Amino acid sequence: MNPPWTADLGDGTYRNPVLNADWSDPDVVSVGEDHYLTASSFGRFPGLPLLHSRDLVNWTLAGHALDRLEPASEFVVPRHDCGVWAPSLRHHAGRFWIFWGDPDHGIQQVNAERVEGPWTAPHLVKAGKGLIDACPLWDEETGEAYLVHAWAKSRSGVKNRLTGHRMSPDGRTLLDEGTTLVDADTIPGWFTLEGPKLYRHDGWFWILAPAGGVETGWQGAFRSRDFFGPYEERVVLEQGRTAVNGPHQGGWVRTAAGEDWFLHFQSKGAYGRVVHLQPMRWSEDGWPVIGDAGEPVAVHRKPTAPAQPVTAPASGDTFPGGRPGPQWQWTADPRPEWTGEHDGHGLRLTCVPTAYAHDLRALPSVLVQRLPAEEFTAEVDLALHSGVPGANAGLAVLGDAFSWIGLEAGPDGTPLLVHRYAEGVAEHERDAEYSRPAPGGRARLRVEVTTGARCRFLADTGDGFRPSGQVFAATPWRWVGALLGLFATAPAGTKPAGTAHFTDFRTAAPAPAGSGTRTGA
């Protein structure tokens, strides 16, 4: 089954973005002929996604490195702008390492011998507020280890600077109080310097770091003969004459074939931060040149690499063994009681009693995944097994505003099809269309997403798909793109409240005009 988006054009070229979904703040590392990528996961669980590719174009989701965040008490409710910010992925001494900054607690680290795990428990390397975007370097020339990080003004009152430390070789301890490596307040025109990635190349210490903000910024490069500076700077990637706004923040890799490439994000509103792949070379004066003379490419020759099937991270799911696939995350630290008994076919979610049933944004028990493409269709079968008035379940598009379609037990327990929404400023959802009977408590639910993240909801209760309500324009969270969601809930104080059974979640690219067909994934 074909995914809703593939970057591989099948003729030796690719199109950007190579990951057309919200893989925010990507970082990448090469180990032999394999490439691995991680991204921000904020307050969702599991966290620290891990993707694999042989050619930097076709990616699959291998799993996650983080089961939970500490302190656990702070992640029992959704915290979409907290948790894991801009992780860095490295391979050193036969192990994979991921460092990240939690803006409220400090710099943390996990590591593993194999990318599939097991991963160590998070270790706090440096405590403090506003410490973000951490990146380590083990310098093979000197045997020294270093760490650089940025600052979040919202927590620390400081921004636009990068701080460096010497670090113990085991990656657990910083050996000094820290030194400002780059103060971008002293560089004319530079602001919001963040997201540093630290490298050693050609006798120089390199910091590749973005500035200028996620919507409008650029990619900078800094170099110094000494880790502690002074550093000189240059802009190495910017929008220029292209339509790719704010191209920046990512990682450099050198492939087994000796080619240099750079992966970065582009902020696309409700779609989140999608990932582009740029060719990279070194100029005669020793600076990186990214893209087409410093501007993003739209289509380009693929990296020289072993053949790999055309693929993309999974979005469809048959829930084998009654469990969600790795593309799904919970909006807070999950609890065992949120899922029902596994029967080997489909996913059972418990109708969780809560005082916040009127606002999906506040619910920790929503199972979510990224919007998989700019245009796509998502469908799922739902059966509601509850006669508790107000118990409901459905398919949602969730952001600062949200909308969902699904089933609800009416005042007498009769199942009804309902469609509701809430604006970004609203504290309570509203009906998007009048409810109607749902015979047998079953429905096939669909959302059709078109350019601009405009969402048309439909449902089939036995008489074919019928559109419901007005078109809903999806919105992002503060740092997170809109999400597809599955949920089941019930009014507070109604235990037990039954379950919802989801089967055959399918995503599909839009059918060619006049074809009358779609392909699913």
Side-chain angles (χ1 to χ4, degrees):
M1 293 182 289
N2 296 324
W5 172 271
T6 53
D8 193 328
L9 296 177
D11 59 359
T13 66
Y14 71 91
R15 58 176 173 169
N16 273 316
V18 290
L19 287 166
N20 199 17
D22 188 23
W23 303 98
S24 179
D25 312 317
D27 193 30
V28 63
V29 68
S30 293
V31 182
E33 293 185 335
D34 295 287
H35 312 290
Y36 301 95
L37 181 147
T38 191
S40 295
S41 51
F42 300 98
R44 303 195 301 275
F45 298 84
L48 289 174
L50 293 161
L51 288 80
H52 171 257
S53 176
R54 301 295 300 278
D55 60 8
L56 297 172
V57 172
N58 295 284
W59 293 89
T60 57
L61 180 57
H64 294 80
L66 191 63
D67 291 330
R68 61 183 297 157
L69 281 169
E70 296 293 345
S73 60
E74 295 193 12
F75 294 94
V76 296
V77 296
R79 302 194 69 194
H80 300 285
D81 60 348
C82 301
V84 176
W85 284 24
S88 293
L89 175 62
R90 294 292 181 264
H91 190 262
H92 167 71
R95 300 186 70 82
F96 291 91
W97 303 76
I98 303 178
F99 285 68
W100 73 93
D102 179 322
D104 298 302
H105 301 101
I107 295 167
Q108 305 203 49
Q109 170 258 104
V110 294
N111 61 86
E113 185 176 349
R114 301 172 64 248
V115 77
E116 296 85 0
W119 288 82
T120 61
H123 171 73
L124 187 63
V125 179
K126 180 181 180 181
K129 288 189 174 293
L131 311 179
I132 59 169
D133 306 352
C135 183
L137 171 70
W138 286 270
D139 184 359
E140 296 183 359
E141 296 183 24
T142 66
E144 299 282 345
Y146 304 95
L147 182 132
V148 63
H149 70 83
W151 294 85
K153 187 175 182 179
S154 60
R155 272 70 163 190
S156 66
V158 176
K159 64 177 291 190
N160 209 30
R161 72 178 64 166
L162 306 178
T163 296
H165 293 266
R166 280 195 171 89
M167 182 176 69
S168 61
D170 63 4
R172 295 180 64 85
T173 306
L174 301 183
L175 304 180
D176 55 38
E177 295 300 314
T179 300
T180 298
L181 305 183
V182 179
D183 182 353
D185 286 346
T186 66
I187 306 174
W190 284 62
F191 59 97
T192 316
L193 178 65
E194 57 187 350
K197 296 294 182 281
L198 184 58
Y199 307 94
R200 197 84 154 98
H201 172 68
D202 196 26
W204 297 88
F205 288 91
W206 290 91
I207 301 174
L208 302 185
V214 296
E215 300 286 350
T216 56
W218 58 88
Q219 180 65 38
F222 299 83
R223 71 179 185 181
S224 173
R225 292 295 186 184
D226 185 89
F227 173 72
F228 291 104
Y231 283 84
E232 52 184 320
E233 82 282 346
R234 182 175 293 186
V235 175
V236 293
L237 181 70
E238 56 189 334
Q239 179 172 349
R241 299 159 295 176
T242 75
V244 182
N245 62 294
H248 68 286
Q249 189 156 337
W252 160 46
V253 290
R254 176 164 289 174
T255 68
E259 298 176 350
D260 293 310
W261 297 85
F262 184 75
L263 285 146
H264 67 91
F265 77 66
Q266 175 196 9
S267 182
K268 293 188 67 176
Y271 296 105
R273 301 174 185 180
V274 303
V275 180
H276 291 239
L277 175 66
Q278 303 297 336
M280 177 173 155
R281 61 181 176 84
W282 296 89
S283 66
E284 291 184 1
D285 61 355
W287 287 86
V289 179
I290 300 176
D292 181 7
E295 296 184 1
V297 300
V299 176
H300 195 273
R301 172 189 64 83
K302 288 176 57 180
T304 302
Q308 180 171 336
V310 175
T311 189
S315 51
D317 199 356
T318 59
F319 309 109
R323 293 174 174 83
Q327 66 267 41
W328 297 98
Q329 297 170 291
W330 297 98
T331 52
D333 196 2
R335 305 173 197 170
E337 61 267 26
W338 292 349
T339 53
E341 293 184 4
H342 298 144
D343 62 3
H345 178 66
L347 175 71
R348 288 192 183 275
L349 296 184
T350 302
C351 294
V352 179
T354 174
Y356 297 97
H358 59 279
D359 189 351
L360 295 185
R361 295 164 298 196
L363 294 184
S365 55
V366 182
L367 198 60
V368 295
Q369 66 163 291
R370 299 159 180 85
L371 304 186
E374 186 172 357
E375 295 188 292
F376 67 94
T377 294
E379 293 182 5
V380 68
D381 282 317
L382 169 63
L384 180 64
H385 303 293
S386 177
V388 174
N392 58 36
L395 168 66
V397 175
L398 184 63
D400 189 48
F402 68 87
S403 185
W404 66 273
I405 193 166
L407 299 174
E408 180 171 284
D412 61 355
T414 301
L416 302 171
L417 179 78
V418 297
H419 179 193
R420 299 200 175 110
Y421 76 98
E423 305 165 78
V425 296
E427 297 180 355
H428 199 290
E429 65 187 18
R430 299 170 57 191
D431 287 325
E433 184 159 297
Y434 297 113
S435 60
R436 66 176 192 257
R442 296 179 177 272
R444 181 75 176 164
L445 310 174
R446 177 191 292 175
V447 59
E448 298 175 348
V449 180
T450 56
T451 301
R454 297 182 63 80
C455 307
R456 167 67 77 183
F457 287 85
L458 306 94
D460 178 2
T461 55
D463 54 355
F465 275 105
R466 293 164 52 185
S468 178
Q470 299 298 310
V471 171
F472 169 75
T475 63
W477 303 92
R478 185 178 182 188
W479 305 123
V480 181
L483 299 163
L484 293 172
L486 303 177
F487 71 94
T489 188
T494 54
K495 293 185 179 182
T499 62
H501 192 196
F502 294 92
T503 53
D504 195 20
F505 186 91
R506 295 175 63 86
T507 58
S515 70
T517 61
R518 291 191 310 278
T519 55

